[in-house]
Amino acid sequence: EEGGSNPSNGYYRYYVGGWGLLAEMIYRDVYGSDTFRVYADSVADYMVNHYLTLGTTNIMCYAWALGCLYQYGLDVGNQDYITYADTMSAAIKDWIEVAPSVRLNREVWAMSGGALVWGLANSYFQAHPENYYQWMLDNGQYLDVIDTLGDWHIAHNAWYAIGHWTVFKATGDSTYYYNHAFLTDTLLVQDTDEDGGIPAEFTDTADMDQSWCTAYLGFMCLNPLISEMTGIGDDNRVVPDNYVLVRNYPNPFNSSTKIEYRGFPEGKLHADVYDIMGRRVDRIYDSYSSGSGFIDWDAGGIASGIYFVRLHGLGVSGITRAVLVK
């Protein structure tokens, strides 16, 4: 694969190897067959016998792969895999802690800081659970909530989604649940032709679906939410009871749209509109709110495009994606 075994740029072997280990464990669990166990062992052996230098792209792929390797080691009872993943993930943790506000809030290649958080949660903190809660509490705040710059936005946002979910599971802070749900919705609405597939970037058309981005949507966004259901018709989920809703209709719209919101605390509420580059283009509400209601947005003076309307009040926020077509 790309970079081969070169320690300075051999990240791709680790990246796809992580998926390979995960896929073999799922296959064996579903089908009760060890058909691909030899393959998975070869992947794990490769990881143990090769290393990557700690550059940003390598680090993100490393963290992901080591999380998969640790889980695989537990699954098959191989202490060498577990020990290697623990040792190398400790080095990644140290690398992050040099500048967590920068290194957890970055996007490179098809990865983002969410891969670092997920990787550590499934490797280092499996071996050192005593530090898990406090680390996530201190550092989860640095994860971006949405990426709109550069290439492969959807991949970056999927990794951020699994990162926010990981912090939510570690701390119980519903802010991260909402961030994950928002990112999941952001990816879901990219399926504009409702064929089950999504593209790699916001600006791609409906016929530019990418299978790997669609897989990201399933694994990183939908799977955590769906797996929390305990049975058909069973409401035993981990959804926080202070759930917020933000949506607009019509959507797409021409010139004006109505934004519905629910579940916000009573008090001061702000509503801002951002373009796809993350720039604020309008503030459409700045007043007292009872927590639920409607906001009218007249976009007559704004160019056609994709916009994000963010509502924020007393520490609670929600976002809807609005498509303006003139």
Side-chain angles (χ1 to χ4, degrees), residues 259-281:
I259 295 127
E260 178 185 8
Y261 65 94
R262 301 181 201 163
F264 286 82
E266 185 174 341
K268 195 67 177 286
L269 182 70
H270 308 287
D272 296 306
V273 179
Y274 296 85
D275 65 15
I276 199 169
M277 303 299 290
R279 299 170 297 204
R280 193 175 81 172
V281 298

Side-chain angles (χ1 to χ4, degrees), residues 6-324:
N6 188 320
S8 65
N9 63 351
Y11 56 87
Y12 204 48
R13 287 190 178 186
Y14 268 87
Y15 169 78
V16 297
W19 285 111
L21 294 176
L22 189 71
E24 193 281 332
M25 286 188 285
I26 295 172
Y27 183 91
R28 184 157 30 91
D29 180 60
V30 171
Y31 293 104
S33 168
D34 61 358
T35 299
F36 299 106
R37 173 69 189 276
V38 172
Y39 160 74
D41 283 347
S42 73
V43 169
D45 290 340
Y46 177 88
M47 291 181 180
V48 170
N49 290 291
H50 295 79
Y51 72 97
L52 295 175
T53 53
L54 301 186
T56 305
T57 305
N58 285 353
I59 282 281
M60 291 186 180
C61 294
Y62 225 169
W64 153 251
L66 292 172
C68 296
L69 178 63
Y70 193 100
Q71 296 305 311
Y72 183 73
L74 289 177
D75 197 51
V76 301
N78 188 308
Q79 187 60 47
D80 289 341
Y81 299 160
I82 295 171
T83 300
Y84 179 82
D86 177 27
T87 301
M88 297 310 299
S89 62
I92 291 173
K93 175 176 172 289
D94 291 342
W95 181 88
I96 294 170
E97 290 173 351
V98 171
S101 63
V102 175
R103 293 179 171 179
L104 292 176
N105 193 30
R106 289 196 64 185
E107 305 89 33
V108 293
W109 192 51
M111 312 290 281
S112 74
L116 299 172
V117 171
W118 186 93
L120 287 186
N122 285 277
S123 55
Y124 179 84
F125 289 115
Q126 294 284 310
H128 310 278
E130 67 277 5
N131 303 320
Y132 187 34
Y133 172 81
Q134 192 61 49
W135 196 91
M136 291 294 173
L137 192 68
D138 293 341
N139 295 289
Q141 62 183 311
Y142 300 125
L143 291 171
D144 201 353
V145 178
I146 189 167
D147 169 52
T148 59
L149 300 176
D151 298 326
W152 296 342
H153 314 95
I154 289 175
H156 300 156
N157 289 320
W159 283 112
Y160 279 132
I162 198 67
H164 283 284
W165 182 265
T166 302
V167 178
F168 165 61
K169 295 294 288 184
T171 65
D173 187 337
S174 62
T175 299
Y176 298 100
Y177 177 93
Y178 299 138
N179 290 342
H180 177 271
F182 159 65
L183 286 163
T184 298
D185 287 342
T186 300
L187 267 66
L188 278 172
V189 298
Q190 307 308 315
D191 184 16
T192 54
D193 56 1
E194 299 183 348
D195 66 352
I198 60 173
E201 300 181 28
F202 293 140
T203 54
D204 287 346
T205 58
D207 62 351
M208 296 175 68
D209 292 341
Q210 301 277 353
S211 60
W212 60 286
C213 291
T214 305
Y216 278 17
L217 169 62
F219 176 74
M220 301 175 194
C221 299
L222 295 175
N223 190 58
L225 293 172
I226 294 172
S227 65
E228 293 298 331
M229 298 177 64
T230 56
I232 297 175
D234 191 340
D235 290 330
N236 293 328
R237 309 182 194 182
V238 294
V239 181
D241 57 12
N242 56 336
Y243 178 74
V244 298
L245 167 73
V246 181
R247 61 184 178 186
N248 68 292
Y249 55 88
N251 192 25
F253 69 100
N254 182 351
S255 296
S256 64
T257 187
K258 185 179 293 289
I259 295 127
E260 178 185 8
Y261 65 94
R262 301 181 201 163
F264 286 82
E266 185 174 341
K268 195 67 177 286
L269 182 70
H270 308 287
D272 296 306
V273 179
Y274 296 85
D275 65 15
I276 199 169
M277 303 299 290
R279 299 170 297 204
R280 193 175 81 172
V281 298
D282 199 359
R283 168 160 284 189
I284 59 176
Y285 192 85
D286 185 6
S287 187
Y288 178 87
S289 168
S290 63
S292 299
F294 298 88
I295 299 171
D296 291 318
W297 176 30
D298 182 358
I302 297 177
S304 297
I306 298 171
Y307 295 91
F308 297 93
V309 184
R310 179 177 185 266
L311 276 64
H312 179 79
L314 298 179
V316 176
S317 64
I319 304 179
T320 185
R321 176 181 182 272
V323 181
L324 174 59

